[in-house]
Amino acid sequence: MAGPYTLPPGAGTRLRRPRRLRHTGRLRRRLRHRRAPASAPATTASPAKDGPAGEQLVLRWRKTGGIAGLGGPGSLPDFSLYSSGRAVAASQSGPTEYRLKPEALRRLLDEARAAGLARSHAVGPGGVADAITVVVSMDGATTRIIQPETQSGPEGRFLKRLDPAGWPASDLTGKPAPYKAEKTAVLAGPTTGSATVKTWPLEPLGKGVQVAGAVCTVAPAAKAPATNPDTAWRSGGRTYSVRLRPLLPAESSCQDVK
């Protein structure tokens, strides 16, 4: 009977596969062992680490204490520095924005760590009533510099480097400019006998959350009316004193206001 295997003359009992089937088998083995071309790895879009959506706070200081009670709850920090090189400093005319070049940012942070600001500790005399204290936050550590004007150690000396008004122009990407917040925290509290009362035009002041000793809501900075201690605001049948605290980079809600 004819079949796929034949016995050629002189082959003894060994069976041989016909040439056509041998070629087909080799082709199948080559196809089975051939590797599929590597596909390109999947990518997902993400904000740049140091872009506006991804910048992180890397160093901050604020002045607290004194008879006037500086740096109270809800106040704007004196200085905030971000991973993008952006710095925001409080001033009499409003917060000012600076932009450090990458190499200048790295140098400043290295100097801050060398001055000991990346480990929690206190410098200066303790137990001084109403003492002015500079509180520096960096790398998860908090440094308290008590009576900074009298401190000659590395922490006290380095504070001068954290005054952006003294930064050389060669360290900056451009000129300082007013900081323009997209949103502002509206902090409402008891009235202080204000002579002028106005109607609050935005979200009811009483429907916020308790933050920094006040009821806090968030409003677009461009829509919030100017406020001052001499003006009270009527909202939801009650009268409040109102102060505005612009939200800084990396802040988005009332929970970020401390």
Side-chain angles (χ1 to χ4, degrees), residues 81-94:
L81 179 64
Y82 298 88
S83 58
S84 62
R86 172 158 52 169
V88 180
S91 68
Q92 292 276 349
S93 58

Side-chain angles (χ1 to χ4, degrees), residues 54-99:
E55 61 186 340
Q56 300 174 356
L57 180 69
V58 294
L59 190 151
R60 169 172 285 171
W61 71 265
R62 69 170 76 225
K63 187 177 291 186
T64 66
I67 297 176
L70 300 174
S75 61
L76 191 72
D78 292 89
F79 174 85
S80 300
L81 179 64
Y82 298 88
S83 58
S84 62
R86 172 158 52 169
V88 180
S91 68
Q92 292 276 349
S93 58
T96 303
E97 179 176 300
Y98 301 78
R99 295 273 185 171

Side-chain angles (χ1 to χ4, degrees), residues 27-219:
L27 178 60
R28 287 175 178 170
R29 284 195 297 273
R30 281 198 293 266
L31 291 176
R32 188 165 56 243
H33 290 92
R34 181 180 295 174
R35 293 183 179 178
S39 59
T43 58
T44 56
S46 60
K49 176 183 175 183
D50 295 335
E55 61 186 340
Q56 300 174 356
L57 180 69
V58 294
L59 190 151
R60 169 172 285 171
W61 71 265
R62 69 170 76 225
K63 187 177 291 186
T64 66
I67 297 176
L70 300 174
S75 61
L76 191 72
D78 292 89
F79 174 85
S80 300
L81 179 64
Y82 298 88
S83 58
S84 62
R86 172 158 52 169
V88 180
S91 68
Q92 292 276 349
S93 58
T96 303
E97 179 176 300
Y98 301 78
R99 295 273 185 171
L100 279 173
K101 295 178 180 177
E103 60 272 19
L105 173 64
R106 287 191 294 268
R107 185 170 63 250
L108 183 66
L109 294 177
D110 288 344
E111 292 174 3
R113 295 185 179 99
L117 299 183
R119 59 181 181 87
S120 295
H121 65 295
V123 177
V128 179
D130 300 323
I132 295 291
T133 301
V134 171
V135 181
V136 185
S137 302
M138 180 185 184
D139 292 349
T142 300
T143 301
R144 301 177 65 84
I145 306 173
I146 304 164
Q147 294 181 330
E149 68 281 357
T150 66
Q151 302 308 314
S152 58
E155 301 92 344
R157 294 196 305 269
F158 185 72
L159 286 181
K160 295 180 181 179
R161 289 281 286 121
L162 297 181
D163 178 6
W167 288 347
S170 58
D171 282 353
L172 303 175
T173 62
K175 294 183 178 180
Y179 171 67
K180 296 181 180 180
E182 293 184 4
K183 297 180 180 180
T184 186
V186 180
L187 301 173
T191 57
T192 56
S194 305
T196 304
V197 178
K198 297 182 178 180
T199 300
W200 183 252
L202 303 177
E203 181 179 348
L205 295 172
K207 292 188 177 181
V209 296
Q210 289 287 336
V211 169
V215 181
C216 177
T217 55
V218 173

